Amino acid sequence: RLKPFNRLQVILQHLKMSKHTDSTAEVFLEKRGGAGVITLNRPKALNALNLSMIRQIYPQIKTWEKDPETFLIIIKGTGGKAFCAGGDIRAITDAGKIGDRLAQDFFREEYILNNAIGTCKKPYVALIDGITMGGGVGLSVHGHFRVATEKTLFAMPETAIGLFPDVGGGYFLPRLSGKIGYYLALTGFRLKGRDVLKAGIATHFVESEKLPALEKDLIALKSPSTENIADLLDSYHAKAKIDQEKEFVLDEHMEKINSLFSANSMEEIVKKLKQDGSPFAIKQLETINKMSPTSLKMTLRQLREGASMSLQDVLTMEYRLSQACMRGHDFYEGVRAVLIDKDQSPRWKPAALEEVSDELVNDCFKPLGNNDLKL
């Protein structure tokens, strides 16, 4: 028999090993109290979402939705820097180049997950502490509650890489007040902290250091209703003092945003910005000039159409657009310029808005027959 000390060593060794194998999991799914807790665990990759994570999260949400002992779902990220900085673009790029199925499967399964969050019957609480962009927005924005902190950094930067603000961007962006959503989608403008709440993307604002306590309190709720959860979030929100007095970063520009970004075409938006000539308008022109012209036209139409569509119809439309991007040129060129070579000088084809024909844009929106997304 092992001496007590040796036995302890063996137990510690075993714990260390099991902890070690466990901590390499890309996502933790655990039942704690009345809550199902999803923890994104790729801190080095800023918790970027990949296909294997999607394939673990989706069935778990569906299981918890049916479980009478699960009253809410909480999603968060590890590492302190990001909730989720986006989808695993690198993997998609490599797959798309060689026509690998991943380029279809990733978007298809990601959008099915976005829809599961948007239709979830259990209250869904996303703790969007840190960077929340692209795919990370898709994991949070369609849920009942989105809790921002002073560390939240929100953006939909897709037009800069030859993509479009997907994951249901065509649904939530045009529904933000005025033309904020169009502005965020076309320019990739970043919102920080309380501004994420003021823009209508988050539902609550809580100090980052209070999140562990909030999570503990959420888990401890006994058979809570949506109202009970809202009350608890409200009470934390009411106590958050950081930046309480600061006005919304876009406040002074809202009038311009609403008029300039209400045009029916990209060319018209550019024309209006040039005519306006204010420092704000000039800055927007500079930003828009860096973006993929094809992405800009695709995005404007996506938002204009999405404004009156259901989330399901938007995701079906966006799946068509995603596959058009996989077939095209700009996505690979954008990823090269921004993420791989980092020279920040993509060579878009077509290179100017005027060269992106209606026919080219219409093509991106065409149904895919049997390959269409089915929700």
Side-chain angles (χ1 to χ4, degrees):
R1 284 181 53 192
L2 291 170
K3 292 198 181 94
F5 178 69
N6 281 11
R7 189 181 312 149
L8 186 64
Q9 261 193 320
V10 170
I11 291 169
L12 283 174
Q13 189 59 38
H14 177 71
L15 277 173
K16 214 161 135 192
M17 273 170 60
S18 65
K19 190 172 182 304
H20 182 75
T21 51
D22 227 342
S23 67
T24 57
E26 296 176 320
V27 58
F28 299 124
L29 304 158
E30 26 184 4
K31 182 70 198 307
R32 290 167 51 200
V37 183
I38 303 166
T39 310
L40 309 173
N41 186 43
R42 294 182 70 203
K44 285 199 179 74
L46 299 176
N47 298 324
L49 183 68
N50 62 26
L51 189 55
S52 80
M53 292 159 81
I54 294 169
R55 287 179 173 171
Q56 293 171 71
I57 296 168
Y58 175 78
Q60 188 60 73
I61 287 178
K62 287 299 184 192
T63 304
W64 281 332
E65 209 174 9
K66 290 193 192 84
D67 174 28
E69 297 304 303
T70 304
F71 298 97
L72 73 153
I73 296 171
I74 299 169
I75 186 166
K76 58 179 184 165
T78 54
K81 276 194 182 152
F83 164 67
C84 170
D88 195 348
I89 293 291
R90 281 281 183 99
I92 302 162
T93 312
D94 296 343
K97 276 184 189 157
I98 57 168
D100 187 290
R101 276 204 61 96
L102 175 72
Q104 294 169 31
D105 294 347
F106 180 85
F107 290 103
R108 184 184 299 274
E109 296 182 41
E110 182 184 28
Y111 297 175
I112 289 171
L113 173 57
N114 299 149
N115 185 54
I117 293 165
T119 56
C120 189
K121 291 182 180 65
K122 300 281 165 87
Y124 184 97
V125 183
L127 306 176
I128 53 172
D129 189 33
I131 301 165
T132 304
M133 295 185 185
V137 176
L139 288 177
S140 53
V141 78
H142 305 296
H144 301 83
F145 302 110
R146 288 89 63 188
V147 182
T149 74
E150 72 281 6
K151 286 161 58 179
T152 304
L153 178 62
F154 164 96
M156 293 300 275
E158 290 81 4
T159 54
I161 56 163
L163 215 52
F164 58 97
D166 66 334
V167 297
Y171 182 79
F172 82 88
L173 289 163
R175 284 167 172 79
L176 299 177
S177 71
K179 294 290 171 188
I180 290 180
Y182 291 78
Y183 172 68
L184 295 172
L186 297 168
T187 66
F189 184 81
R190 298 174 167 206
L191 292 171
K192 299 186 178 107
R194 228 178 244 275
D195 288 332
V196 179
L197 171 83
K198 290 178 177 158
I201 291 149
T203 56
H204 294 80
F205 180 87
V206 172
E207 277 132 6
S208 184
E209 61 174 38
K210 298 284 196 313
L211 287 183
L214 170 61
E215 192 184 335
K216 218 174 125 195
D217 285 348
L218 282 167
I219 287 164
L221 289 171
K222 294 276 174 276
S223 331
S225 64
T226 306
E227 289 72 37
N228 301 144
I229 294 162
D231 290 344
L232 178 62
L233 292 170
D234 290 346
S235 72
Y236 270 83
H237 174 84
K239 290 187 202 108
K241 297 286 175 264
I242 296 179
D243 292 339
Q244 212 173 16
E245 305 308 313
K246 267 175 74 177
E247 67 164 44
F248 181 42
V249 67
L250 295 174
D251 246 0
E252 52 176 321
H253 305 302
M254 270 325 295
E255 217 175 304
K256 281 200 191 306
I257 288 172
N258 291 341
S259 71
L260 298 169
F261 286 86
S262 63
N264 297 335
S265 69
M266 268 323 294
E267 286 89 342
E268 181 115 357
I269 290 176
V270 167
K271 195 174 125 190
K272 282 183 154 195
L273 286 165
K274 282 180 178 157
Q275 283 168 347
D276 184 276
S278 63
F280 174 76
I282 289 163
K283 206 171 154 201
Q284 305 325 309
L285 271 175
E286 282 169 11
T287 303
I288 283 170
N289 278 329
K290 294 192 182 102
M291 305 306 191
S292 152
T294 305
S295 289
L296 289 169
K297 285 203 166 178
M298 199 189 259
T299 299
L300 183 58
R301 175 160 163 195
Q302 169 207 0
L303 266 58
R304 286 172 60 88
E305 295 199 2
S308 58
M309 284 180 169
S310 67
L311 176 60
Q312 292 69 37
D313 288 343
V314 165
L315 291 166
T316 303
M317 165 178 75
E318 290 180 357
Y319 184 71
R320 293 168 185 169
L321 297 179
S322 78
Q323 298 312 294
C325 291
M326 294 305 104
R327 296 192 300 268
H329 163 274
D330 280 8
F331 170 64
Y332 304 102
E333 176 56 15
V335 170
R336 180 205 65 73
V338 176
L339 301 175
I340 297 172
D341 300 341
K342 298 191 167 127
D343 59 25
Q344 308 302 330
S345 46
R347 291 179 285 281
W348 306 122
K349 282 183 199 163
L353 285 170
E354 297 70 50
E355 295 166 26
V356 182
S357 67
D358 292 349
E359 194 184 0
L360 180 75
V361 178
N362 290 340
D363 244 11
C364 301
F365 285 83
K366 282 198 177 132
L368 300 170
N370 287 336
N371 291 326
D372 256 335
L373 178 67
K374 292 165 192 71
L375 291 171

